Amino acid sequence: MTLEGTHVRLEPLTLDHLDALCEIGLDDDLWRLIPKPVHSREDMRDYIRTALQWQADGTAIPFATIERSAQRVVGSTRFMNIDGPNRHVEIGATWIARPWQRTAVNTEAKYLMLRHAFEELRCIRVELKTDELNQRSRNAILRIGAKQEGIFRNHIVCANGRLRNSVWFSIIDSEWPEVKASLEKKLKAG
């Protein structure tokens, strides 16, 4: 499955993306608040392999994020924690290299994924979560129209031993028309 917009294309993640992801993604600042950081080529290979294993298990659909104008890999994202019987998914494991942060790339990627989740997969709920300390991510999630639901305390033990509190957000199907219109307006404004 490929999701394509004006600014971004989300294409199936494969090990063929390894070099491009290493070129833009071995930036310690990107991984500072991620439970299992990626610091090396081998870490990035493991990151991709984990995503592909989750895909094989039926719990994730991972993507490479491609900036269309330059046809360049700029990050990665995925549907994860797929729960078909309860019709919900999480959009997560999202990262975008610094030069493309605060551009239309993330907004359009989220729009494409939300549209697919609600209109093709017929989800009734899409979840997003982030580290309580990641204010930039929290603001971005609110900006796309998600509602904060709460904080899971001591939710994840990070690789460095820190206990992460995770902030949970969601968009439900009845909210999608308004969220969709808002995202389309943002994308049209540039």
Side-chain angles (χ1 to χ4, degrees), residues 118-135:
F118 287 116
E119 297 178 13
E120 301 301 323
L121 300 178
R122 311 309 289 166
C123 288
I124 59 172
R125 172 186 172 82
V126 175
E127 302 165 349
L128 302 101
K129 67 178 178 281
T130 192
D131 192 308
E132 180 182 34
L133 301 177
N134 193 340
Q135 194 62 51

Side-chain angles (χ1 to χ4, degrees), residues 170-182:
S170 72
I171 299 169
I172 60 174
D173 57 343
S174 61
E175 297 164 342
W176 172 236
E178 184 178 333
V179 169
K180 179 180 181 180
S182 175

Side-chain angles (χ1 to χ4, degrees), residues 12-149:
L13 181 67
T14 70
L15 281 169
D16 291 340
H17 294 107
L18 177 62
D19 290 337
L21 288 172
C22 285
E23 184 180 324
I24 52 101
L26 297 181
D27 173 353
D28 287 343
D29 191 54
L30 285 174
W31 305 98
R32 188 172 51 84
L33 295 173
I34 303 300
K36 187 174 183 215
V38 173
H39 298 298
S40 68
R41 180 179 178 79
E42 193 54 39
D43 289 346
M44 188 68 78
R45 184 186 316 276
D46 289 346
Y47 179 86
I48 295 170
R49 284 184 177 151
T50 297
L52 296 176
Q53 182 59 56
W54 290 2
Q55 183 174 22
D57 295 344
T59 62
I61 303 171
F63 299 98
T65 305
I66 313 295
E67 181 191 34
R68 288 194 62 210
S69 64
Q71 292 299 305
R72 180 177 179 153
V73 174
V74 298
S76 182
T77 191
R78 67 186 79 148
F79 287 119
M80 52 196 272
N81 297 316
I82 297 170
D83 183 344
N86 291 303
R87 296 175 40 209
H88 63 83
V89 299
E90 178 182 348
I91 295 175
T94 301
W95 61 273
I96 297 170
R98 271 197 264 192
W100 295 275
Q101 292 177 5
R102 294 191 174 103
T103 69
V105 167
N106 189 46
T107 303
E108 188 170 58
K110 291 296 188 293
Y111 169 77
L112 294 170
M113 293 178 80
L114 288 164
R115 186 178 69 187
H116 186 79
F118 287 116
E119 297 178 13
E120 301 301 323
L121 300 178
R122 311 309 289 166
C123 288
I124 59 172
R125 172 186 172 82
V126 175
E127 302 165 349
L128 302 101
K129 67 178 178 281
T130 192
D131 192 308
E132 180 182 34
L133 301 177
N134 193 340
Q135 194 62 51
R136 184 184 307 169
S137 179
R138 291 171 71 170
N139 291 342
I141 293 169
L142 290 169
R143 183 179 168 274
I144 66 168
K147 305 233 184 315
Q148 182 175 322
E149 296 182 321

